[in-house]
Amino acid sequence: MPPHTPLLDRVSVPSDMRNFSGEQLAQLAEELRAETVDTVSVTGGHLGAALGVIELTVAIHAVFDTPSDRLIWDVGHQAYPHKILTGRRDRIRTLRQPGGLSGFTRRSESEYDPFGAAHSSTSISAGLGMAVARDLKGENREQQVICVIGDGAMSAGMAYEAMNNAGSMKSRLVVILNDNDMSIAPPVGAMSAYLSRLISSQSFLNLRDLAARMAKRFPRSIERTAKRAEEYARGILTGGTLFEEMGFYYVGPIDGHNLDHLLPVLRNLRDADEGGPVLLHVVTQKGKGYAPAEASADKYHGVTRFNVITGELAKAPPGPPSYTKVFANALIAEAEADSTIVAVTAAMPSGTGLDSFGKKFPDRTFDVGIAEQHAVTFAAGMATEGMKPFVAIYSTFLQRAYDQVVHDVAIQSLPVRFAMDRAGMVGADGHTHAGVYDLCFLGCLPRFVIMAPSDEVELMHMVATSALIDDRPSGIRYPRGEGLGLTLPKRGTPLEIGRGRIIREGSKIAILALGPRLHDALKAAEELAARGLSTTVADARFAKPLDTALVAQLARHHEVLITIEDNVAGGFGSAVLYLLATTGLLDSGIKVRPMCIPDKLIDHNTPAGQLAEAGLTPKDIVATALSALGVSAASAAVRA
């Protein structure tokens, strides 16, 4: 075959490449890299991590019998090349688009995705579960389970919990550590590759088994000493002592971009008779093979559309600052006036805006890695000593630390302040990243103050408010994206806790909104007024404590009360209903209609498309009001 004949066109599923030579696989890798770059230039997404595992993806699918062998990608940022090779190339340019492929692995999307992964550090736990299930069923004993976990995900305690469990068992499991940032590896070259091939080979394993059986004939103390000596010898040579101590057979490090190194080692691991978990340490480079991504790994971790030739990212037209940026600036303003304010993030300094806070206050900024549980309890510890910690975590990631929020913060009434970015719908990242549960899981905690700004000025006021709450925990939930372009003060003004505000006065219908849905409520009120239906619009500001006086006023003086939020049922609207029921206000005949995210998973789309699917647009609010009044949209007369 001519050397430049496209091979990717011949690969519909991994079995199509399993008779390729090493040279052909190398060519396939280059074509796969070009296809990945071109795809993400059109769709946007996570480029750097995907480019770093091109050769690894090719090697795994060439050596292992996927999908019978289970391949689990941690997080899913690395999985774009995997999707191209597993029957989804014809749809790859629908990645993260409405109705298209998910940006993460998804069980319902392909048999080659045995486990959905969008939050990090889950692969080893899931893989061990699959391996144990295989062993218990006694079927397909030759089946392999391969987990690919990035070094960043190794900062999460869950990964070590899984390794500790796996290391105490005999289930066969291959964990591939994709080391692209840890800098823990000794030089990766010919000697390292040779050692890795040697210690993963069946002849070495047979010799190791023979030595182990001979050692058993000696006193137990000598047997233990011999075993530890062998582990440490390999650990010193390869840098894997930590993993050996956790019960894994360590191989590596090897060059994750060199198929001549990857293929023989993976084959050895596949064919090994010895059971138990193995960790293969591969060293890769984020953005490998695409110069702009190699030069700026952080910038090209997650990208918008870009020009493939120049690498220039598509720029949105200038607009208002994002809520994330407004939060960061508001926190800086508070910290300038109060030296006890500190900021904590869990591996998301730029995503939460705390990178700018860190430049201003490097000694008061703490990035703890992908360790949300630790972040919360770490902040709680600081709070006990009089510091004022702000923990900035995406709403979806705060779920990972719920026990710590309950036990270490709420039960002790510690004034830890939670800044929950990406609350509500998040667009292209889809339902795995949607922040639509926080009002439920925080609202049930005693004395927890929960705020939601309707615009960026309100966000500044709420940051100032939270800074002053020193007797209990508090949280601010705010959306992804830009604000409204309002003129911002230099510093926020503290609000009265638990006090909402009326934005528009009316008499027949009342709409009580929480957060940015206020502006949809105002648009709906305009249309209702055009139909002759006088409408009050109020901004709750606080999901907890509720403004009981405001709720009572709305209930007593209107026929219909609509609540609206971008959270699932059980949040703000449910709290309002509970208040109305327990105070007897429902007995007066007020018609209450809570509007929230429906009981379904809303897939990736534009934020506007997601809100439309959720039924939370101004049109939906109008329809809800008319239905409550028993008036059809067609028959609603326009009255002065």
Side-chain angles (χ1 to χ4, degrees), residues 17-26 56 58-65 69 144 146 172 174 176 196-197 199-202 205 251 254 258-273 278 280:
M17 54 189 276
R18 290 187 185 134
N19 62 348
F20 283 8
S21 67
E23 289 184 357
Q24 287 176 311
L25 290 174
L56 182 60
V58 168
I60 291 172
H61 280 300
V63 170
F64 291 96
D65 185 25
D69 288 341
Q144 304 281 347
I146 309 100
R172 189 174 65 255
V174 177
I176 300 177
S196 298
R197 286 198 300 273
I199 64 178
S200 64
S201 67
Q202 190 61 52
L205 294 174
V251 178
I254 62 174
N258 190 327
L259 287 169
D260 290 337
H261 294 179
L262 282 170
L263 291 168
V265 171
L266 288 173
R267 290 179 184 126
N268 283 342
L269 296 181
R270 178 196 64 192
D271 298 336
D273 294 331
V278 177
L280 172 61

Side-chain angles (χ1 to χ4, degrees), residues 450-472:
I450 307 172
M451 297 168 270
S454 56
D455 57 51
E456 60 268 47
V457 174
E458 285 286 292
L459 175 56
M460 293 193 69
H461 295 333
M462 290 177 183
V463 172
T465 305
S466 192
L468 293 180
I469 299 174
D470 60 3
D471 63 341
R472 50 187 153 164

Side-chain angles (χ1 to χ4, degrees), residues 48-71:
L51 293 181
V53 296
I54 295 292
E55 288 81 9
L56 182 60
T57 304
V58 168
I60 291 172
H61 280 300
V63 170
F64 291 96
D65 185 25
T66 55
S68 177
D69 288 341
R70 308 303 194 210
L71 172 58

Side-chain angles (χ1 to χ4, degrees), residues 3-124:
H4 297 297
T5 300
L7 290 171
L8 191 57
D9 291 345
R10 293 173 50 188
V11 178
S12 297
V13 290
S15 59
D16 295 333
M17 54 189 276
R18 290 187 185 134
N19 62 348
F20 283 8
S21 67
E23 289 184 357
Q24 287 176 311
L25 290 174
Q27 179 183 332
L28 178 67
E30 288 307 307
E31 294 175 13
L32 182 60
R33 176 168 280 109
E35 182 80 352
T36 301
V37 171
D38 188 69
T39 294
V40 181
S41 76
V42 173
T43 65
H46 295 94
L47 181 63
L51 293 181
V53 296
I54 295 292
E55 288 81 9
L56 182 60
T57 304
V58 168
I60 291 172
H61 280 300
V63 170
F64 291 96
D65 185 25
T66 55
S68 177
D69 288 341
R70 308 303 194 210
L71 172 58
I72 308 162
W73 295 93
D74 208 281
V75 180
H77 293 173
Q78 312 167 79
Y80 298 177
H82 160 80
K83 293 196 176 200
I84 293 171
L85 292 179
T86 54
R88 288 168 276 186
R89 185 186 178 195
D90 60 338
R91 295 181 289 150
I92 197 65
R93 284 165 183 77
T94 70
L95 191 72
R96 295 163 52 89
Q97 309 303 304
L101 296 177
S102 169
F104 307 98
T105 53
R106 180 178 291 184
R107 281 174 54 82
S108 61
E109 193 176 280
S110 171
E111 63 179 336
Y112 290 91
D113 293 358
F115 200 78
H119 290 189
S120 82
S121 314
T122 62
S123 60
I124 304 176

Side-chain angles (χ1 to χ4, degrees), residues 402 437-448 450 543-544 570-571:
Y402 190 55
Y437 309 109
D438 52 72
L439 290 177
C440 301
F441 68 71
L442 295 181
C444 62
L445 301 179
R447 302 185 70 240
F448 211 112
I450 307 172
K544 188 174 185 178

Side-chain angles (χ1 to χ4, degrees), residues 362-394:
D363 295 336
R364 292 154 64 183
T365 307
F366 304 93
D367 182 356
V368 302
I370 304 176
E372 291 84 1
Q373 293 174 304
H374 164 63
V376 171
T377 305
F378 170 59
M382 286 194 285
T384 65
E385 298 299 319
M387 301 304 289
K388 295 182 177 179
F390 278 77
V391 182
I393 296 179
Y394 290 3

Side-chain angles (χ1 to χ4, degrees), residues 203-216:
S203 57
F204 181 89
L205 294 174
N206 289 341
L207 180 62
R208 182 174 181 254
D209 181 62
L210 174 62
R213 283 187 277 115
M214 289 179 62
K216 287 184 180 296

Side-chain angles (χ1 to χ4, degrees), residues 294-352:
E294 288 183 355
S296 184
D298 289 344
K299 181 179 178 182
Y300 282 84
H301 169 70
V303 296
T304 58
R305 298 179 183 184
F306 62 93
N307 184 303
V308 173
I309 297 175
T310 65
E312 183 178 359
L313 301 179
K315 294 181 180 179
S322 68
Y323 280 92
T324 299
K325 185 173 183 179
V326 171
F327 160 73
N329 290 338
L331 189 59
I332 288 171
E334 296 302 317
E336 287 174 336
D338 187 343
S339 62
T340 65
I341 289 177
V342 295
V344 180
T345 182
M348 296 294 291
S350 60
T352 59

